[in-house]
Amino acid sequence: MMSSNYTAIDNQNVSGSVPAVADPPGQVAVKFTESNLQTFPPSSSQGKISAASGPPRDADDTFSKPVSGSDEPQHGGWFRAFTIAAYKPYFDVDTSDVLERIKDSLLPFTGSFSEKTADNPDLYGPFWICSTLVFVAASIGTFITYIAHKLHNKEWNYDINLVTWSAGLFYGYSTIVPLCLFVVLKYFSAPSGLVQLLCLYGYSLFVFIPALCLSLVPWEIVRWVVAGVAGFMSATFVATNLKHHIASAGERWFFIVAAIFLLQLALALVLRVYLFNVTV
C-alpha cells in the first residue's frame, strides 16, 4: 500500500515540489564561472593571465630586463669603463688557458700568441704576472742584499723603496707602454685592440720571474747572461707577435718593431742594474 502511494506521488506534478535533476525552463541558476572568484585578480579573459594581471616586477627592474652575458645594469658611453661588468669578460679564463698562454710566451719565435688570443684576450694573467714579479723582485732583492751585508759583517736595513719601485716599474711598464703603442698604431692606420696589447705585454714579462730567481747565483757573469737571455726572449716574443700586424702600417713598420724590441731590452737592462745587482 505504501509503495503504490509513493508511486502516485512520483508520477504527479505536485505544485511546490523540488525538481529532481534538470532545471525547468526560465529558472535562473547560479553559475560560478561568471563570478570573479574564478580568477585572481579579476579580468575579462578566462583561463589566461592578461597583461593587467602579470607577475610582480622588481622594484628596480634589474632582473626583468634581458641582459646578455651579465646580471649588472648596463651603462652606455664612458660610464661603462667605470663599472665592474665592463672588465668581467677579460677575467673569464680557465687555468688551462693561462698556462697555455704562459707556455707560448716562453716560445717567442712561434708568433702565434696574438692569433690565439685575438678572440679572447685576458687581463687575469697579466695582472697576476705583474703581482708575482713585484713580490719576487722585492723578496729576492731583499734576501740578496741581506746575505751580502752579513757576509761583509755590515749592518743591514730593510729598504721599503724596493717594493714601491718594483710595483711602479712592472705595473707602469705593462700599462703605459701598450697604451702608447695603441696610440702610435692608430696614428699609422694599423690599429690594434688595447686589451690585446695589454695581454701581450703582460705575458711577455713572465720570463723575468725565473730570471729573477736565478739572480741568486753569486756570479756576476751569470746574472748578466740571465738578464740578457730573458730580455731577448721577451723582446722577441713581443716583436714577432706584432710584426705581421704592424707590417700594414707601411714602410715604417720596421722602425716600430725595432723600437718595441729595443724597449724590451731596455727593461731587462734596468732590471739587471737595479734588481740583479747587489750593493753593499
Side-chain angles (χ1 to χ4, degrees), residues 2-273:
M2 291 179 62
S3 60
S4 61
N5 291 335
Y6 283 121
T7 304
I9 293 175
D10 292 337
N11 293 331
Q12 295 177 1
N13 291 329
V14 181
S15 176
S17 61
V18 179
V21 178
D23 297 332
Q27 187 172 354
V28 178
V30 178
K31 296 181 179 180
F32 288 98
T33 56
E34 298 177 359
S35 173
N36 288 337
L37 296 176
Q38 283 291 99
T39 57
F40 180 81
S43 60
S44 58
S45 60
Q46 301 294 331
K48 296 181 180 179
I49 299 178
S50 62
S53 61
R57 297 170 63 86
D58 299 314
D60 59 351
D61 219 22
T62 302
F63 297 95
S64 302
K65 295 179 180 179
V67 181
S68 59
S70 174
D71 55 355
E72 299 289 339
Q74 297 296 307
H75 300 276
W78 286 99
F79 291 100
R80 178 172 172 78
F82 300 98
T83 60
I84 298 178
Y87 301 96
K88 278 186 177 181
Y90 306 120
F91 289 84
D92 187 17
V93 289
D94 298 330
T95 304
S96 58
D97 297 331
V98 176
L99 294 177
E100 182 68 22
R101 295 175 183 188
I102 289 176
K103 185 180 71 174
D104 290 338
S105 69
L106 297 177
L107 302 173
F109 296 101
T110 59
S112 60
F113 182 86
S114 296
E115 297 178 1
K116 294 180 179 180
T117 60
D119 297 330
N120 185 28
D122 73 285
L123 298 178
Y124 180 86
F127 172 77
W128 284 111
I129 289 174
C130 291
S131 300
T132 305
L133 279 170
V134 173
F135 173 77
V136 172
S139 58
I140 290 183
T142 301
F143 178 75
I144 291 177
T145 55
Y146 173 78
I147 296 298
H149 279 75
K150 290 301 180 181
L151 291 177
H152 291 81
N153 295 322
K154 292 185 177 181
E155 184 181 358
W156 174 81
N157 295 316
Y158 177 72
D159 187 10
I160 190 62
N161 293 325
L162 190 62
V163 178
T164 56
W165 189 91
S166 300
L169 175 65
F170 292 116
Y171 286 121
Y173 183 87
S174 61
T175 303
I176 296 176
V177 173
L179 183 60
C180 294
L181 182 60
F182 171 77
V183 176
V184 171
L185 293 179
K186 195 169 185 179
Y187 174 79
F188 285 103
S189 301
S192 178
L194 177 60
V195 177
Q196 191 169 3
L197 291 176
L198 291 171
C199 178
L200 177 65
Y201 270 86
Y203 281 98
S204 70
L205 300 180
F206 177 82
V207 69
F208 291 108
I209 296 179
L212 285 172
C213 296
L214 291 176
S215 65
L216 292 171
V217 178
W219 297 300
E220 287 295 318
I221 185 63
V222 175
R223 292 174 180 171
W224 274 108
V225 171
V226 170
V229 171
F232 178 79
M233 291 179 63
S234 178
T236 304
F237 171 72
V238 176
T240 53
N241 280 279
L242 290 177
K243 180 180 66 174
H244 299 291
H245 178 77
I246 298 178
S248 60
E251 298 178 354
R252 300 179 180 179
W253 72 269
F254 177 79
F255 299 100
I256 301 176
V257 175
I260 293 172
F261 186 87
L262 294 176
L263 194 59
Q264 290 290 108
L265 291 181
L267 174 64
L269 181 62
V270 171
L271 293 177
R272 169 64 186 89
V273 172

